[in-house]
């Protein structure tokens, strides 16, 4: 399984919801390209784990991990 995790910047409105939508869009693109939806776990983490100062667009991202569930 693949964990699709969305992140948002703290300056975005409703960062938890925004990060969830971001991850959902990427998951939908993957399933549209043939990845079975049952292989994806979609998660939105909001403004957790910033990789740059608040306000930097680098914080608006989607990450992939191998999930062992």
């Amino acid at each position: 399984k693949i964990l699709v995790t969305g992140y948002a910047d703290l300056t975005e409105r409703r960062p938890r919801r925004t990060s969830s939508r971001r991850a959902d869009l990427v998951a939908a693109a993957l399933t549209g390209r043939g990845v079975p939806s049952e292989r994806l776990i979609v998660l939105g983490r909001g403004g957790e784990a910033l990789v740059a100062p608040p306000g930097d667009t680098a914080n608006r991202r989607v990450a992939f991990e191998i999930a062992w569930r």
Side-chain angles (χ1 to χ4, degrees), residues 1-66:
K1 293 198 178 237
I2 301 168
L3 180 62
V4 181
T5 308
Y7 295 91
D9 189 65
L10 294 174
T11 61
E12 290 182 273
R13 204 174 146 187
R14 296 184 177 162
R16 179 73 65 178
R17 179 183 281 177
T18 301
S19 64
S20 292
R21 286 183 183 165
R22 190 169 282 139
D24 286 336
L25 286 170
V26 171
L30 291 171
T31 56
R33 288 173 172 80
V35 177
S37 61
E38 58 271 2
R39 294 199 57 208
L40 301 176
I41 301 167
V42 182
L43 180 63
R45 294 207 180 240
E48 297 176 20
L50 298 178
V51 295
D56 194 319
T57 58
N59 294 318
R60 301 172 183 183
R61 67 192 190 282
V62 174
F64 301 95
E65 293 178 46
I66 302 299

